[in-house]
Amino acid sequence: MNHIKLSNISKIYSINNQDFYAVNNISLQINTTQNTIIIGKSGCGKSTLLNMINGLTSISEGEILFPKNFKTATVFQESRLLPWLTIEQNATFWAPHTDPTSLLKELELFDFKKLYPHEISGGMAQKTALIRALLYEADFLLLDEPFASLDYFTRLYMQKKLIDLTSKQKLGMIFITHNVDKAVLLGDTIIILEKGAIKTILVNKLPLTERVNSVASNEFKNEIISIINE
């Protein structure tokens, strides 16, 4: 099985003695060999859904089924590096016997590997967090808007590196975002959420070379924006 199967899952919070559905009865099959984008306005349930998949948030109703012996790795909005460890030690935290040299060089961190988190930039911290997830040798990545706080140029660099590295390792992923440009660039399947429920699922048929600054990509972005704002 190369799918994560979500069956009627909900996350319910009690607010003033009334039930509030942060995620509302979602059923979905996520192809673990592809890149799935979850997009929608703030408060639509994106991060809650991701955290139900990675086990950080309990499921109120329904169930999630994974392939046998399936491992996921999560990259969060914050790098969540351990301040007393160097870049190299943080990168290998979940895989202490793994050599990180290749990835440190790939992401231009090798010369800084002995520095500590307080000595590096936010972009370098997020690079380290991505390396840590990749070295864990997971079957699938879960990313919760990890590049949102980065400047435009660093963010674009990280997105391209993410595509390159996951392609090399043949890794699928779920990527949470509110950025339509990012959704079109990274996503094979784009799931639009609204009020905790699936509003629309779109298939991105554009080849990678046409996902940025092409007429077709602009038309697809406008379609997504129109659906979100309906």
Side-chain angles (χ1 to χ4, degrees):
M1 182 174 76
N2 61 347
H3 290 83
I4 300 171
K5 186 177 180 180
L6 285 59
S7 298
N8 306 111
I9 66 164
S10 295
K11 180 60 186 177
I12 308 168
Y13 295 101
S14 180
I15 301 176
N16 297 324
N17 295 320
Q18 291 188 331
D19 288 342
F20 169 74
Y21 282 75
V23 170
N24 190 355
N25 194 33
I26 286 180
S27 292
L28 183 65
Q29 286 200 103
I30 298 169
N31 190 328
T32 58
T33 67
Q34 295 184 343
N35 298 339
T36 297
I37 298 293
I38 301 177
I39 190 170
K41 295 179 180 179
S42 294
C44 71
K46 302 187 296 294
S47 293
T48 301
L49 178 59
L50 187 80
N51 286 334
M52 293 169 77
I53 294 171
N54 68 22
L56 292 178
T57 297
S58 62
I59 302 170
S60 301
E61 296 175 346
E63 65 176 354
I64 300 177
L65 299 176
F66 296 92
K68 187 177 181 180
N69 300 321
F70 193 75
K71 290 170 57 178
T72 64
T74 303
V75 184
F76 299 94
Q77 293 180 28
E78 313 84 20
S79 63
R80 303 194 182 187
L81 302 183
L82 299 176
W84 59 88
L85 298 181
T86 63
I87 286 179
E88 183 176 35
Q89 290 168 335
N90 269 289
T92 59
F93 183 78
W94 295 113
H97 303 297
T98 302
D99 183 0
T101 300
S102 177
L103 284 173
L104 287 170
K105 288 182 176 179
E106 179 82 21
L107 287 169
E108 302 175 352
L109 287 178
F110 184 77
D111 292 339
F112 309 97
K113 64 182 181 178
K114 299 302 182 184
L115 297 182
Y116 289 87
H118 72 276
E119 298 176 307
I120 63 177
S121 68
M124 294 169 76
Q126 285 302 96
K127 289 179 183 180
T128 305
L130 179 58
I131 293 173
R132 181 176 58 190
L134 292 171
L135 289 178
Y136 181 58
E137 296 185 347
D139 301 294
F140 195 67
L141 293 182
L142 304 170
L143 302 106
D144 190 358
E145 196 65 271
F147 312 141
S149 63
L150 305 181
D151 65 82
Y152 171 80
F153 299 102
T154 305
R155 185 167 62 247
L156 188 61
Y157 168 87
M158 289 297 290
Q159 289 168 187
K160 290 180 178 178
K161 281 297 181 183
L162 178 63
I163 292 171
D164 290 343
L165 292 169
T166 52
S167 296
K168 286 178 183 177
Q169 295 194 15
K170 298 181 180 179
L171 273 175
M173 63 181 170
I174 295 175
F175 196 106
I176 302 295
T177 187
H178 58 264
N179 185 297
V180 176
D181 290 341
K182 197 178 298 180
V184 172
L185 173 62
L186 297 175
D188 301 311
T189 299
I190 298 172
I191 299 170
I192 300 174
L193 292 190
E194 183 177 84
K195 296 180 180 179
I198 295 175
K199 188 174 187 180
T200 308
I201 298 177
L202 300 172
V203 176
N204 188 356
K205 298 179 180 179
L206 297 175
L208 193 59
T209 53
E210 293 184 25
R211 292 187 181 185
V212 179
N213 297 327
S214 70
V215 172
S217 68
N218 288 332
E219 289 177 349
F220 192 34
K221 291 172 193 175
N222 289 333
E223 180 184 358
I224 295 169
I225 293 168
S226 177
I227 292 170
I228 291 173
N229 290 328
E230 280 178 353

